Amino acid sequence: MRVFIAVELPNEIRQSLGDVQRALRSLTNSSRWVAPESIHITLKFLGEVPDQRIGDIHSAITGLTWKPFNVTVRGVGFFPGTRSPRIFWAGMEAPTMQDLAEQLDTRMQRLGFEGEKRAFRPHITLARARGTRIDASLVNAAQEYKDHEFGSFAVDRLFLFKSTLKPSGPVYEKLKEYLL
């Protein structure tokens, strides 16, 4: 099964992000939009994992001790940048989230999963390019939201998710919950 470790967003923040998506969606056909109900913060993508490995992953996450922390979702941007954008994202201020993601990465490497090649950059994916890049029309219109505050929330749990790819988009199912 295809799995990842993530933080779930409160419904109010998902709604606010969904409002921005609806406001910008009609400006371009170059993007595949993430369904608002599927928006989350991925801490570690594990990929295709045999069912029998889920127990090892569960044990590694269960052994993690981490204090709850606050996140403020603010602003939007593009990866790798505005010249050749492939990902449209909402940003966040979450000082300890990078350390948490790195610790999860280290724990998963001990289980034989590949380590991350790039440093973790906290973000929430809102849309991905359908082809090679996202249209300049979306980049320009998104400037209106570059400093927009979507809300704040406390992160006090993580989830292990299963992702099933369907023609209509991925469907996520929570497999396990881990309190911080």
Side-chain angles (χ1 to χ4, degrees):
M1 70 180 81
R2 192 176 154 92
V3 296
F4 61 92
I5 303 164
V7 170
E8 194 169 52
L9 296 171
N11 286 334
E12 312 81 66
I13 293 178
R14 279 191 188 152
Q15 267 183 318
S16 187
L17 293 167
D19 291 343
V20 170
Q21 288 177 312
R22 278 185 290 286
L24 299 175
R25 186 181 309 256
S26 65
L27 300 174
T28 181
N29 291 325
S30 69
S31 303
R32 284 182 329 220
W33 296 87
V34 177
E37 64 274 7
S38 296
I39 293 174
H40 61 273
I41 305 165
T42 302
L43 296 173
K44 176 70 179 168
F45 179 75
L46 299 170
E48 291 292 336
V49 175
D51 291 1
Q52 61 268 28
R53 302 266 339 261
I54 297 299
D56 293 337
I57 295 166
H58 174 62
S59 295
I61 301 171
T62 301
L64 180 73
T65 55
W66 205 265
K67 287 189 166 92
F69 57 95
N70 290 321
V71 171
T72 298
V73 181
R74 179 181 294 130
V76 297
F78 296 86
F79 288 143
T82 55
R83 286 181 180 240
S84 189
R86 300 222 6 93
I87 304 285
F88 174 47
W89 50 261
M92 65 183 87
E93 294 167 14
T96 63
M97 190 178 284
Q98 180 169 349
D99 293 337
L100 175 59
E102 288 170 2
Q103 192 163 125
L104 285 166
D105 187 48
T106 299
R107 286 172 177 263
M108 295 304 118
Q109 284 182 59
R110 288 186 201 137
L111 295 178
F113 291 97
E114 192 171 322
E116 295 297 327
K117 306 248 188 288
R118 297 180 285 217
F120 178 80
R121 290 187 51 196
H123 70 282
I124 301 164
T125 301
L126 300 177
R128 292 176 178 82
R130 281 189 191 279
T132 57
R133 61 190 305 269
I134 292 172
D135 290 341
S137 58
L138 177 56
V139 174
N140 294 334
Q143 289 305 304
E144 177 183 342
Y145 301 98
K146 72 181 174 93
D147 296 317
H148 186 81
E149 182 144 345
F150 296 98
S152 297
F153 67 104
V155 174
D156 64 355
R157 63 197 67 215
L158 307 175
F159 294 93
L160 181 63
F161 279 94
K162 173 183 175 183
S163 172
T164 305
L165 300 178
K166 302 211 173 200
S168 57
V171 175
Y172 303 130
E173 174 189 342
K174 290 178 194 166
L175 297 176
K176 304 265 184 198
E177 178 178 2
Y178 306 92
L179 298 178
L180 298 180

